[in-house]
Amino acid sequence: MKLGKVEFCHFLQILALFLCLSGMNQAELTRSRSKPYFQSGRTRTKRSWVWNQFFVLEEYMGTDPLYVGKLHSDVDKGDGSIKYILSGEGASSIFIIDENTGDIHATKRLDREEQAYYTLRAQALDRLTNKPVEPESEFVIKIQDINDNEPKFLDGPYTAGVPEMSPVGTSVVQVTATDADDPTYGNSARVVYSILQGQPYFSVEPKTGVIKTALPNMDREAKDQYLLVIQAKDMVGQNGGLSGTTSVTVTLTDVNDNPPRFPRRSYQYNVPESLPVASVVARIKAADADVGPNAEMEYKIVDGDGLGVFKISVDKDTQEGIIAIQKELDFEAKTSYTLRIEAANMHVDPRFLSLGPFSDMTTVKIIVEDVDEPPVFTSRLYSMVVSEAAKVGTIIGTVAAHDPDASNSPVRYSIDRNTDLERYFNIDANSGVITTAKSLDRETNAVHNITVLAMESQNPAQIGRGYVAITILDINDNAPEFAMEYETTVCENAQPGQVIQKISAIDKDDPPNGHQFYFSLTAEAANNHNFTLQDNKDNTATVLTKRNGFRRQEQSVFYLPIFIVDSGSPSLSSTNTLTIRVCDCDADGIAQTCNAEAYILPAGLSTGALIAILACVLTLLVLVLLIVTMRRRKKEPLIFDEERDIRENIVRYDDEGGGEEDTEAFDMAALRNLNIMRDTKTRRDVTPEIQFLSRPTFKSIPDNVIFREFIWERLKEADVDPCAPPYDSLQTYAFEGNGSVAESLSSLDSISSNSDQNYDYLSDWGPRFKRLADMYGTGPDCLYS
């Protein structure tokens, strides 16, 4: 096996260290030649042990135990009477001692990076008595370091950033490598740094590991990222030293060193004149090689004839200039616009002003295209008035519209009937004159808002809309009436001249100067002896009593006709009747009861008593209704009715099933035997008893000729056919049905089994089971025997 260069160097280092330290490692315990001395009356014993530190190389790779040193006591005469023992860290497990000679050996490979030294205790004992002949002493075994650990970048790989265009020597990042070897011994842990990849753009300080820029004016737009490989080597970088590497990714961050530039010096866009306000006309963008805030721009219109018609804004995401319409376009008024637009950086770096102005200009020409536009009314809203007394066909007003296009097509008018559902108005299609079509009523609708449509004659799809508000003027066509339904009472103890009611009037009309009403009693009521009316001249009137002594038993209700006249031209009037009830009042004049019937009630029955009696009657009525309802509830009958559908309550009985086609949810007996029906009814609350091999009782029902003949013909054909196989089928009626207690009556099962069951009862089941009785009975030989 050949050694490489690195392994050979390591071997030489270990060998040299071993030879240099071998003399030190053979330290012995020697007896001091000095004599004892006395001090202050005290006796001092001679030193029996002279110690040196033991040293042992780490990473020993030999097969034999590594010799560490030797212990010796001056008491030891070499006759074997003394034995040596070792205790402490690693004793017996790592370090062993020859108890006769005191030689110490290391039995395991040692690593200084795991433990740098071991503290042990040695003692010399008398072999016979096993008692110490010297006091126990402590010594240290130090592990001698060798260069067996390469430098490591614990924080790698690294990422860093530096602004583009930075000057030479700008610090980027510092890398640090650590070496686990002993820094106090030799050069095993002395590290130097070098750059293996990344030149000539970057350099590294050999001792500190600081990475710096090595070239000026590095441009991010040309290359924005660099990958560096940094090496750390111990032994001060000498040959034979160990090394480690790490990668450093350096990103050039952006600075604003590129001004914006328009790709073109002029742009042209065509825009239809029908575009609404705020529509986007064009998007332009000045190119900027920078990114982020350094590429943010602002646009503005600095010159041109469209300053008030267009506006420009910036899209924050794309940094585009958005040109939008600010006013309506009109091809007939102006066919094109020219704009001078400037784009400028928002964040300018003064260090790079020498690179040129950080703004640019371009020209945008916008051509307006003609569009067939709908007719336009001369006014957005027309206001008209008409009297509600106007006759049908009265002219209210005129609307006018024109075609704004150069062709100036004639216009026809119509009313949008969705805004005039009752068709109160008409319009002349050619002139735009609006007239009444029906009688108007201001009280029904005071203002009519209608929409007038103007259509081009040459292109009816082009429709313009005008809005007309027609106000209906009022005339006096409604008579006045009471403002409300009055409930007027007069006390039996009322005095003459006492006010019993104040009334007012309303009128649906709306005269310009307001209402003025006049109140009076009608001619037939003017001379009554009970009440009088006083006009208050403020659109109200007061009703007063003319006498006292009102009695309910004499007359409980009075009707007072009141005549009301308005101030219209011509004036209108109406007669309204005021109902006055005579009531029993308390001392304060508050009505207590106004019914004349109260006088004919028994003296002992008050209103409270009547209410109590009525409540008792209602309570008794409710009790009676509850009792009747409870009695009408009948218990559900316990016997099944044949006509009821009992499929939800499945009960099995041991009667003949329908074979393989049977279902447990339906009674198929009617299809099996049409001439019979069941006579026995089953109780719902009793579990049916299973009757083995018994037949239910039947009673005759009217024949169904068609089904009866069909079944008998099929049964006769099966009976006379000697070759018919005894298969289980509906045709032969030879299968009892799955789940039956009687089990299957199939001839297949009977032939293959040695059943000794007696089937003589089959002959009692009628002619339909005769074939089965012949096959299984004990009578004549079976057909298939």
Side-chain angles (χ1 to χ4, degrees):
M1 176 178 176
K2 295 183 179 180
L3 295 177
K5 292 182 179 181
V6 177
E7 290 80 358
F8 183 71
C9 291
H10 288 175
F11 175 74
L12 291 178
Q13 289 177 352
I14 295 172
L15 182 60
L17 289 172
F18 179 77
L19 293 176
C20 292
L21 298 174
S22 60
M24 300 172 61
N25 292 343
Q26 294 183 12
E28 297 180 351
L29 293 174
T30 61
R31 190 67 175 259
S32 174
R33 296 288 184 252
S34 60
K35 295 181 179 181
Y37 64 92
F38 300 91
Q39 182 179 5
S40 302
R42 293 185 179 181
T43 303
R44 180 181 179 186
T45 60
K46 290 189 298 181
R47 294 176 58 193
S48 301
W49 299 90
V50 177
W51 290 105
N52 290 320
Q53 290 183 340
F54 291 143
F55 294 87
V56 61
L57 285 175
E58 67 171 335
E59 305 294 344
Y60 172 71
M61 305 298 293
T63 57
D64 297 329
L66 177 63
Y67 180 73
V68 176
K70 184 180 182 64
L71 299 180
H72 183 71
S73 173
D74 56 0
V75 180
D76 189 358
K77 303 302 183 180
D79 56 0
S81 62
I82 302 299
K83 68 175 181 179
Y84 299 91
I85 62 172
L86 195 65
S87 62
E89 293 181 305
S92 300
S93 61
I94 299 176
F95 302 101
I96 61 174
I97 188 170
D98 188 325
E99 63 177 13
N100 296 319
T101 63
D103 293 332
I104 302 175
H105 291 81
T107 61
K108 293 185 179 180
R109 183 175 63 88
L110 302 176
D111 188 356
R112 190 203 65 84
E113 287 71 37
E114 293 182 2
Q115 187 164 345
Y117 62 91
Y118 294 86
T119 301
L120 295 98
R121 292 180 300 278
Q123 195 169 33
L125 303 177
D126 185 284
R127 187 178 296 275
L128 297 177
T129 62
N130 206 29
K131 293 182 178 180
V133 298
E134 296 285 354
E136 185 181 55
S137 297
E138 186 176 80
F139 66 97
V140 175
I141 299 178
K142 287 190 176 181
I143 310 303
Q144 192 68 42
D145 184 47
I146 65 172
N147 188 19
D148 60 341
N149 290 278
E150 73 278 3
K152 294 182 179 179
F153 293 90
L154 301 180
D155 298 329
Y158 296 84
T159 57
V162 62
E164 63 174 333
M165 312 300 289
S166 296
V168 175
T170 301
S171 178
V172 179
V173 68
Q174 182 178 16
V175 296
T176 303
T178 59
D179 195 318
D181 293 324
D182 189 358
T184 64
Y185 177 77
N187 295 325
S188 299
R190 295 181 62 184
V191 177
V192 294
Y193 300 93
S194 61
I195 183 167
L196 301 182
Q197 178 180 323
Q199 296 173 330
Y201 305 102
F202 299 92
S203 63
V204 62
E205 288 285 341
K207 294 182 179 181
T208 62
V210 175
I211 300 174
K212 298 180 179 180
T213 58
L215 284 181
N217 302 327
M218 285 191 291
D219 191 2
R220 185 199 65 84
E221 288 71 34
K223 185 176 181 180
D224 64 345
Q225 197 171 82
Y226 297 85
L227 180 62
L228 282 62
V229 177
I230 305 298
Q231 181 189 65
K233 190 173 184 181
D234 58 15
M235 300 298 292
V236 201
Q238 298 176 359
N239 291 335
L242 303 179
S243 64
T245 60
T246 187
S247 63
V248 181
T249 302
V250 180
T251 302
L252 297 183
T253 58
D254 186 53
V255 297
N256 193 4
D257 59 338
N258 294 279
R261 292 291 180 263
F262 282 106
R264 297 166 55 184
R265 306 318 302 170
S266 64
Y267 299 85
Q268 179 174 314
Y269 300 95
N270 294 343
V271 179
E273 63 174 336
S274 60
L275 276 182
V277 174
S279 297
V280 175
V281 174
R283 301 173 77 99
I284 60 175
K285 183 178 182 180
D288 192 331
D290 297 320
V291 294
N294 297 317
E296 292 181 357
M297 285 176 282
E298 58 181 354
Y299 297 85
K300 58 182 177 180
I301 302 174
V302 297
D303 195 10
D305 55 0
L307 289 175
V309 181
F310 300 95
K311 64 179 181 179
I312 189 168
S313 58
V314 63
D315 188 329
K316 298 297 183 182
D317 296 328
T318 62
Q319 298 301 316
E320 292 178 309
I322 303 173
I323 303 174
I325 300 174
Q326 196 169 3
K327 291 184 180 180
E328 291 184 353
L329 303 178
D330 189 357
F331 173 82
E332 288 72 28
K334 190 172 180 62
T335 59
S336 66
Y337 297 88
T338 301
L339 307 174
R340 289 283 293 168
I341 297 178
E342 178 188 58
N345 276 139
M346 297 181 63
H347 310 286
V348 179
D349 193 334
R351 296 177 299 171
F352 306 103
L353 290 176
S354 59
L355 299 178
F358 283 78
S359 63
D360 197 18
M361 300 281 292
T362 190
T363 301
V364 178
K365 185 175 183 180
I366 299 175
I367 298 176
V368 181
E369 297 177 343
D370 188 23
V371 175
D372 189 6
E373 298 175 276
V376 178
F377 283 88
T378 57
S379 175
R380 296 181 61 86
L381 178 64
Y382 294 89
S383 297
M384 303 178 184
V385 295
V386 63
S387 173
E388 65 176 327
K391 296 181 179 179
V392 174
T394 300
I395 296 176
I396 302 173
T398 304
V399 297
H402 69 281
D403 183 6
D405 299 320
S407 60
N408 195 16
S409 175
V411 175
R412 294 182 61 82
Y413 303 95
S414 63
I415 294 177
D416 185 355
R417 291 304 176 184
N418 290 324
T419 60
D420 183 26
L421 297 175
E422 300 295 331
R423 296 182 175 269
Y424 284 109
F425 308 99
N426 287 328
I427 188 171
D428 188 274
N430 298 315
S431 63
V433 174
I434 300 175
T435 57
T436 59
K438 293 172 66 175
S439 298
L440 305 176
D441 185 7
R442 188 202 66 83
E443 288 72 34
T444 303
N445 194 352
V447 178
H448 294 264
N449 294 300
I450 63 174
T451 300
V452 177
L453 307 179
M455 295 176 291
E456 291 184 12
S457 299
Q458 297 179 358
N459 186 8
Q462 295 296 334
I463 301 175
R465 286 174 169 78
Y467 303 98
V468 182
I470 302 175
T471 303
I472 310 301
L473 299 179
D474 185 47
I475 62 172
N476 191 25
D477 58 345
N478 290 279
E481 56 187 13
F482 279 158
M484 59 181 293
E485 290 290 337
Y486 293 102
E487 295 182 358
T488 307
T489 61
V490 60
C491 295
E492 290 182 320
N493 56 358
Q495 300 300 317
Q498 182 175 334
V499 176
I500 62 172
Q501 186 65 61
K502 186 175 183 180
I503 61 174
S504 61
I506 57 173
D507 193 328
K508 295 180 181 179
D509 295 321
D510 187 18
N513 298 325
H515 291 286
Q516 180 62 49
F517 301 113
Y518 304 97
F519 300 88
S520 63
L521 296 176
T522 60
E524 60 272 16
N527 297 322
N528 78 89
H529 302 291
N530 301 310
F531 307 99
T532 184
L533 182 69
Q534 177 181 331
D535 193 341
N536 298 327
K537 307 301 182 182
D538 59 355
N539 289 341
T540 65
T542 304
V543 179
L544 303 94
T545 58
K546 294 178 68 176
R547 66 177 180 87
N548 57 6
F550 293 97
R551 295 290 183 267
R552 283 178 292 167
Q553 63 272 26
E554 296 177 358
Q555 185 173 351
S556 60
V557 181
F558 293 89
Y559 299 99
L560 185 64
I562 300 176
F563 187 70
I564 308 174
V565 183
D566 62 17
S567 58
S569 179
S571 62
L572 296 179
S573 62
S574 66
T575 300
N576 298 264
T577 301
L578 182 67
T579 301
I580 305 172
R581 296 184 178 277
V582 180
C583 299
D584 179 25
C585 301
D586 57 14
D588 297 327
I590 300 176
Q592 299 298 313
T593 181
C594 300
N595 296 326
E597 291 80 0
Y599 281 95
I600 63 176
L601 294 174
L605 291 178
S606 61
T607 304
L610 291 175
I611 295 174
I613 294 173
L614 182 60
C616 293
V617 172
L618 290 176
T619 302
L620 292 174
L621 182 61
V622 170
L623 291 174
V624 170
L625 290 176
L626 287 175
I627 293 173
V628 171
T629 303
M630 294 295 291
R631 288 189 174 183
R632 285 186 177 181
R633 287 188 176 181
K634 293 182 177 180
K635 293 184 179 179
E636 189 173 7
L638 298 177
I639 304 300
F640 279 124
D641 190 1
E642 281 187 348
E643 289 74 20
R644 291 187 60 188
D645 186 0
I646 58 171
R647 69 187 68 188
E648 296 177 359
N649 300 305
I650 301 174
V651 181
R652 293 187 179 182
Y653 296 91
D654 189 24
D655 54 353
E656 180 183 358
E660 294 175 337
E661 304 299 328
D662 189 17
T663 63
E664 296 181 350
F666 298 90
D667 185 6
M668 305 294 291
L671 295 178
R672 302 297 181 209
N673 193 345
L674 299 177
N675 294 329
I676 58 176
M677 70 175 184
R678 300 185 183 276
D679 187 38
T680 303
K681 294 185 179 180
T682 307
R683 286 182 58 95
R684 185 190 298 269
D685 59 338
V686 178
T687 302
E689 296 180 357
I690 300 177
Q691 300 176 1
F692 292 92
L693 306 178
S694 62
R695 299 194 60 191
T697 305
F698 301 96
K699 66 180 182 179
S700 298
I701 60 172
D703 287 345
N704 189 322
V705 178
I706 297 176
F707 286 97
R708 180 171 55 82
E709 292 180 355
F710 173 80
I711 294 175
W712 275 109
E713 288 177 0
R714 293 294 181 267
L715 185 59
K716 186 181 298 183
E717 291 176 2
D719 290 339
V720 299
D721 187 1
C723 298
Y727 295 153
D728 296 339
S729 66
L730 179 64
Q731 177 182 353
T732 61
Y733 296 89
F735 190 77
E736 175 60 18
N738 291 332
S740 173
V741 177
E743 299 180 352
S744 175
L745 299 179
S746 171
S747 59
L748 294 178
D749 292 338
S750 300
I751 294 175
S752 60
S753 63
N754 296 322
S755 175
D756 56 353
Q757 185 174 353
N758 186 5
Y759 293 100
D760 291 341
Y761 59 85
L762 293 176
S763 58
D764 299 331
W765 284 17
R768 299 185 186 181
F769 293 91
K770 182 177 184 300
R771 186 181 184 87
L772 290 176
D774 295 336
M775 293 168 56
Y776 297 97
T778 56
D781 293 339
C782 296
L783 181 64
Y784 297 98
S785 58

